[in-house]
Amino acid sequence: AFQMTQSPPSLVASVGDRVTITCRTSEDIRNDLGWYQQRPGKAPKLLISASSNLQSGVPSRFRGSGRGTHFILTISSLQPEDSATYYCLQDYNYPYTFGQGTKLEIK
Amino acid sequence: EVQILESGGDLVPPGGSLRLSCVTSGFTFTSYAMTWVRQAPGKGLEWASGISHYGDNTYYADSVKGRFSISRDNSKNTLYLHMNSLRPEDTAIYYCARGIMDFDFWGQGTLVTVSS
């Protein structure tokens, strides 16, 4: 069965820090992976599509990279509003699968 | 302005049925496939189902296949999720999202609680 592993489950960082979140898949999914941000009590928001395509209006401190089975979301120069849970999603084949999520706390 | 509004969530007993609706506006509905994503309380996101622009192709998570049915009424700009044989583990907020990949607009969700 297709496996998707997102890490770390949680992290704590300070304003101005750079953080990375990783998703690994058990099969090659080309670049068919997106990243979503979900703030508490809110609907998810699409940040990045096709591994590295930044959505309109999303700050440039968010960057996605990777292809195949290894993908990375990098957030540089953290801001207080970046406190949220981040999810990757493979949309290469059905059924689509989200990663387990990474809860980012800004201290 | 794109707007997506889900409704129909309720408290239902195990084995019961429910129909969720997702009314959209602000974009050409027939230009987009649509998707349902759910989130159990305190848990992560789970992709549940998707449907193509004209409804001729539908897709389901293994956890809902055979029990849930996705459909759309393009004349009403509305997406549906028909849920049968509901189980306690179906308890979740159900989100409607635009797209079949890259879900760029989401509603605020509707809560389904399956409990006796």
Side-chain angles (χ1 to χ4, degrees):
Chain A
F2 188 90
Q3 298 292 329
M4 194 134 161
T5 304
Q6 182 176 341
S7 61
S10 63
L11 70 156
V12 180
S14 300
V15 172
D17 284 354
R18 186 179 97 153
V19 299
T20 60
I21 298 169
T22 298
C23 270
R24 292 184 182 272
T25 60
S26 57
E27 299 173 18
D28 186 336
I29 61 168
R30 304 182 309 187
N31 68 337
D32 292 335
L33 184 124
W35 291 97
Y36 293 80
Q37 175 193 64
Q38 187 180 32
R39 296 189 174 108
K42 300 296 186 181
K45 173 186 175 182
L46 177 64
L47 300 176
I48 290 169
S49 63
S51 178
S52 60
N53 183 24
L54 192 69
Q55 295 302 290
S56 175
V58 175
S60 58
R61 62 180 180 274
F62 291 90
R63 178 175 176 269
S65 62
R67 186 177 179 86
T69 63
H70 186 204
F71 301 86
I72 299 172
L73 173 67
T74 302
I75 312 172
S76 56
S77 190
L78 276 174
Q79 299 300 304
E81 60 267 28
D82 298 335
S83 179
T85 301
Y86 294 84
Y87 296 91
C88 57
L89 168 72
Q90 72 82 13
D91 47 27
Y92 175 71
N93 62 7
Y94 292 105
Y96 293 169
T97 41
F98 283 94
Q100 297 85 352
T102 296
K103 186 174 183 179
L104 172 61
E105 177 189 333
I106 311 296
K107 62 182 177 182
Chain B
E1 178 192 6
V2 172
Q3 294 193 348
I4 294 175
L5 182 63
E6 305 94 336
S7 64
D10 204 350
L11 171 63
V12 293
S17 298
L18 205 58
R19 187 186 78 165
L20 305 183
S21 299
C22 168
V23 177
T24 71
S25 61
F27 64 99
T28 303
F29 190 61
T30 51
S31 294
Y32 291 87
M34 297 292 293
T35 293
W36 288 99
V37 173
R38 67 182 184 177
Q39 186 169 36
K43 302 297 184 182
L45 301 173
E46 180 185 16
W47 175 86
S49 184
I51 188 168
S52 58
H53 303 62
Y54 292 99
D56 46 334
N57 292 299
T58 58
Y59 310 92
Y60 299 95
D62 291 344
S63 57
V64 307
K65 194 177 296 182
R67 301 185 300 122
F68 290 13
S69 176
I70 191 172
S71 65
R72 62 191 295 161
D73 186 335
N74 287 345
S75 69
K76 296 181 179 179
N77 296 338
T78 301
L79 176 73
Y80 301 101
L81 187 65
H82 310 261
M83 304 186 293
N84 297 316
S85 303
L86 282 162
R87 305 166 179 167
E89 54 265 36
D90 295 319
T91 294
I93 296 173
Y94 285 73
Y95 293 103
C96 171
R98 188 178 81 168
I100 199 101
M101 304 169 68
D102 309 332
F103 313 137
D104 59 353
F105 285 93
W106 297 61
Q108 286 306 300
T110 187
L111 176 63
V112 173
T113 303
V114 183
S115 174
S116 53

